Amino acid sequence: MKALIYEKSIPRYLASALAARLDRRRFFPRVSPLRLAETPYDPPAGWVRLRTLLCGICGSDLGLLKGHESVLLEPYASMPSVLGHEILAVVEEAPDGSGFSPGQRVAVEPILPCETRGLAPCRFCAAGDYNLCENFLRGDLPPGSFLGFNAKAPGGMAERTAAHPSRLFPVPDHVPDETAVLVDSLASVLHPVLVHFPGDADTVVINGMGILGQHAVRSLRALGSKARIVAVARHGFQALAAKAGGADVVLRSPSRQALGEAVGATFTPTTLGGGNLEGGADLFLDCAGGARAFEQGLLALRAGGGYVMVGTTARLSGADVSSLWFRQLTAVGSASYGHATDPRTGKRVRTYEVALELLASGSYPVDGLVTHLFRLDDYAKAFTAAFDKRGHASMKVAFDLRP
């Protein structure tokens, strides 16, 4: 089958990192460890065989191609691997008793926890928190926590892929392909939204209005939150989308003083360091990441507030974190999705199921979220569009493998 294969090459990885520093809005296929090639199709035994329809490009894919991923996470991937984990597919062949049949359209939850590895559930998997699985390095599969980062479990940037039956979700017939491919990106931010669901009187800052930030705004509203949402966007098209999604206030790359005013904080001048904020938001969802955003997030919070790192960040350099202890803040990360409490019912639910439910409801605003579709042969153009958000006004870029 034809697939985009990422190979382990330290020279090419370092060359990609250097190229990204020289021009972060371009993809350089000649130096990248990524190549389009024919590869054998040999999925694990007992898995459902799938034909890919659409596969979205995730920020983690871009980070890998830019050489920005944490070197500490190297053990949690195995190469060569077929990239892509935001997968919409159709069943080609399913084992007896799997509950699936040929022709069925499915969304693929790409995590590879104990159940997919032929192992008894670890303590986290037993509790439904399989995103924190302790066995991503063990079992019948090679190391790798996700489809697309595993040498034996192919990702979705290929003509065919496969998945363990426990990772598949039937997609209702009325949901368009271009909507269904958003399930994974929605689930990624829906999980921290569910875990840290704000009160109606709270103020929430959502930093970064790429696809994750857009989903954060929309999922809060779709779940009934009346919290005041302050969205921070870099680009004009992102700001417009955030407003359409339900944000109360949208700021474009605001100064510290402007951010403070938006969250009801008092700006306090300092001789050095650009000033401090007193008071502020209850919750800061950081969907962009980086040292500056981390520092601004801590400053924008009232005493006892919470910072949640939603967008993945490998390193934080130079950030002043004194607000963390001075205001007794909570700073936490968020790892993909598992189970969480639904604020509408108080029941524990599977995040992926809620994401699909919201997208299938017809009331979740999806217009303008999928902005670009590319054929697999045009992968260089696809990654360029995903890298250069301003130049291409790109939100979600995906590969279209439909006939």
Side-chain angles (χ1 to χ4, degrees), residues 105-398:
R105 202 168 45 129
V106 291
V108 181
E109 186 186 48
I111 300 179
L112 300 172
C114 291
E115 188 173 10
T116 69
R117 297 174 170 276
L119 299 172
C122 67
R123 54 178 173 163
F124 290 110
C125 286
D129 298 322
Y130 48 79
N131 54 320
L132 304 178
C133 178
E134 296 177 307
N135 289 318
F136 286 138
L137 306 180
R138 303 178 183 89
D140 296 338
L141 296 175
S145 56
F146 263 62
L147 289 174
F149 300 98
N150 191 286
K152 190 176 179 180
M157 295 180 189
E159 293 170 324
R160 285 175 171 78
T161 185
H164 190 277
S166 67
R167 304 295 107 186
L168 293 179
F169 295 82
V171 176
D173 291 341
H174 71 275
V175 180
D177 290 348
E178 290 79 359
T179 298
V181 77
L182 293 168
V183 174
D184 194 82
S185 57
L186 171 54
S188 296
V189 74
L190 179 61
H191 192 74
V193 164
L194 292 173
V195 172
H196 305 281
F197 200 75
D200 286 345
D202 288 352
T203 294
V204 180
V205 178
I206 302 175
N207 178 63
M209 282 297 117
I211 190 64
L212 293 183
Q214 301 294 340
H215 281 316
V217 173
R218 286 160 172 75
S219 61
L220 281 168
R221 294 304 186 223
L223 293 170
S225 174
K226 296 180 175 62
R228 184 168 181 269
I229 297 177
V230 177
V232 178
R234 175 175 292 180
H235 307 302
F237 73 96
Q238 295 174 333
L240 291 173
K243 193 67 176 177
D248 295 292
V249 178
V250 182
L251 305 175
R252 289 276 309 277
S253 301
S255 66
R256 188 172 299 176
Q257 194 163 359
L259 179 60
E261 183 178 345
V263 299
T266 301
F267 180 77
T268 304
T270 58
T271 304
L272 300 173
N276 204 340
L277 298 176
E278 176 63 29
D282 301 274
L283 181 66
F284 190 98
L285 297 175
D286 189 358
C287 297
R292 183 177 183 276
F294 185 69
E295 180 176 302
Q296 293 289 73
L298 299 183
L299 285 169
L301 289 167
R302 60 157 177 79
Y307 167 96
V308 184
M309 184 180 289
V310 181
T312 56
T313 296
R315 296 172 185 84
L316 297 171
S317 177
D320 186 328
V321 299
S322 56
S323 298
L324 185 63
W325 57 264
F326 185 71
R327 292 179 182 148
Q328 200 168 303
L329 305 176
T330 300
V332 299
S334 179
S336 53
Y337 26 71
H339 285 78
T341 300
D342 189 330
R344 300 168 297 180
T345 63
K347 295 181 179 179
R348 192 160 163 82
V349 292
R350 196 168 173 179
T351 305
Y352 228 79
E353 288 181 341
V354 178
L356 185 55
E357 173 213 322
L358 293 180
L359 290 171
S361 69
S363 59
Y364 188 93
V366 296
D367 289 349
L369 295 187
V370 177
T371 53
H372 296 75
L373 295 176
F374 290 92
R375 307 303 290 182
L376 207 58
D377 289 336
D378 293 324
Y379 75 96
K381 294 180 180 178
F383 285 113
T384 295
F387 282 175
D388 185 12
K389 290 180 172 58
R390 182 178 66 183
H392 290 79
S394 57
M395 195 73 73
K396 174 56 65 180
V397 180

Side-chain angles (χ1 to χ4, degrees), residues 16-189:
S16 295
L18 176 60
R21 283 197 292 271
L22 295 174
D23 190 343
R24 61 183 178 86
R25 290 196 291 267
R26 285 184 60 195
F27 172 59
F28 297 88
R30 292 186 179 181
V31 301
S32 173
L34 187 70
R35 63 186 177 91
L36 181 63
E38 291 289 333
T39 188
Y41 179 58
D42 184 26
W47 284 31
V48 178
R49 296 181 173 228
L50 306 169
R51 177 170 55 82
T52 309
L53 298 174
L54 297 175
C55 183
I57 296 175
C58 176
S60 59
D61 300 322
L62 301 181
L64 186 65
L65 294 176
K66 289 181 177 181
H68 288 174
E69 291 294 281
S70 168
V71 296
L72 299 180
L73 298 182
E74 181 185 358
Y76 298 94
S78 49
M79 310 292 175
S81 60
V82 177
L83 278 190
H85 59 269
E86 298 186 355
I87 305 168
L88 176 70
V90 63
V91 175
E92 282 196 324
E93 184 181 344
D96 292 339
S98 68
F100 295 92
S101 56
Q104 196 170 10
R105 202 168 45 129
V106 291
V108 181
E109 186 186 48
I111 300 179
L112 300 172
C114 291
E115 188 173 10
T116 69
R117 297 174 170 276
L119 299 172
C122 67
R123 54 178 173 163
F124 290 110
C125 286
D129 298 322
Y130 48 79
N131 54 320
L132 304 178
C133 178
E134 296 177 307
N135 289 318
F136 286 138
L137 306 180
R138 303 178 183 89
D140 296 338
L141 296 175
S145 56
F146 263 62
L147 289 174
F149 300 98
N150 191 286
K152 190 176 179 180
M157 295 180 189
E159 293 170 324
R160 285 175 171 78
T161 185
H164 190 277
S166 67
R167 304 295 107 186
L168 293 179
F169 295 82
V171 176
D173 291 341
H174 71 275
V175 180
D177 290 348
E178 290 79 359
T179 298
V181 77
L182 293 168
V183 174
D184 194 82
S185 57
L186 171 54
S188 296
V189 74

